[in-house]
Amino acid sequence: MVGAMEPLGALSRWYLYAIHGYFCEVMFTAAWEFVINFNWKFPGVTSVWALFIYGTSIMVVEQMYLSLKNRCPGLVRCLIYTLWTYIWEFSTGLILRQFNACPWDYSQFDYDFMGLVTLEYAVPWFFASIIMEKLVIRNTLCLRFDENGEPRSPAIAPATLWDHLTLRKEE
């Protein structure tokens, strides 16, 4: 018998969002390094601060999504998320800069503001917001915990293809 399933709590969702943002940051910086410098080593970098920054930001975007999903079209929501990203990146960067801890500096970009944000990243941030809503937030909100918290095998799929074929023969 299957027990009741509970949605993930806020801390669990924050953790998944933080790890997702951290991973994407490393992958983006590796791709950027390749495109700009043709570096085949793909060195991706970030800071531990990215965990807090992304986890908290995506939790805010999750609440925006829940509030706006039935009130405005997806592209408008993604523009709002992109604007939020700029506000959050600037704010967290400004705070971290006070402690000489800001891990990014966009001063070398043409359209930067105080080295904390740059318009050159508007398109990547916009597309990231589409991915964030359509894949990350929606799927995270669908995840459930078993009320007992006990790991168990999936009830639907057989363990192997061989088990699947064997079960089909017995039917």
Side-chain angles (χ1 to χ4, degrees):
M1 180 173 180
V2 176
M5 304 294 270
E6 296 180 17
L8 296 182
L11 186 59
S12 295
R13 294 191 324 274
W14 181 90
Y15 174 78
L16 290 174
Y17 296 150
I19 295 296
H20 170 78
Y22 196 85
F23 173 77
C24 287
E25 176 89 7
V26 170
M27 297 304 290
F28 178 80
T29 57
W32 188 266
E33 178 67 19
F34 178 76
V35 169
I36 300 302
N37 298 317
F38 304 106
N39 187 342
W40 284 92
K41 292 181 182 179
F42 290 93
V45 296
T46 191
S47 165
V48 173
W49 289 114
L51 291 165
F52 168 77
I53 292 167
Y54 283 109
T56 305
S57 181
I58 299 174
M59 284 295 288
V60 170
V61 173
E62 174 192 279
Q63 294 308 304
M64 288 182 198
Y65 165 69
L66 293 171
S67 297
L68 298 173
K69 67 181 179 178
N70 296 321
R71 297 187 352 201
C72 62
L75 292 179
V76 173
R77 289 193 308 271
C78 289
L79 284 172
I80 293 168
Y81 306 155
T82 303
L83 178 61
W84 161 251
T85 300
Y86 274 100
I87 292 167
W88 183 244
E89 184 176 33
F90 179 79
S91 301
T92 55
L94 191 61
I95 292 167
L96 289 172
R97 186 181 277 176
Q98 302 309 307
F99 302 97
N100 197 29
C102 185
W104 64 88
D105 181 4
Y106 300 128
S107 299
Q108 74 278 9
F109 287 86
D110 292 332
Y111 302 105
D112 76 292
F113 181 68
M114 296 175 59
L116 297 173
V117 292
T118 182
L119 287 178
E120 279 93 339
Y121 282 177
V123 172
W125 280 130
F126 179 79
F127 284 108
S129 72
I130 293 172
I131 292 168
M132 180 175 43
E133 178 185 298
K134 303 290 184 197
L135 296 177
V136 180
I137 292 172
R138 284 185 181 181
N139 287 321
T140 300
L141 290 172
C142 290
L143 293 175
R144 299 288 184 258
F145 276 129
D146 183 314
E147 71 176 4
N148 300 325
E150 295 294 323
R152 56 188 164 93
S153 300
I156 299 170
T160 65
L161 177 60
W162 179 253
D163 291 341
H164 179 70
L165 296 173
T166 307
L167 289 173
R168 300 278 296 174
K169 287 182 182 178
E170 292 175 3
E171 293 176 351

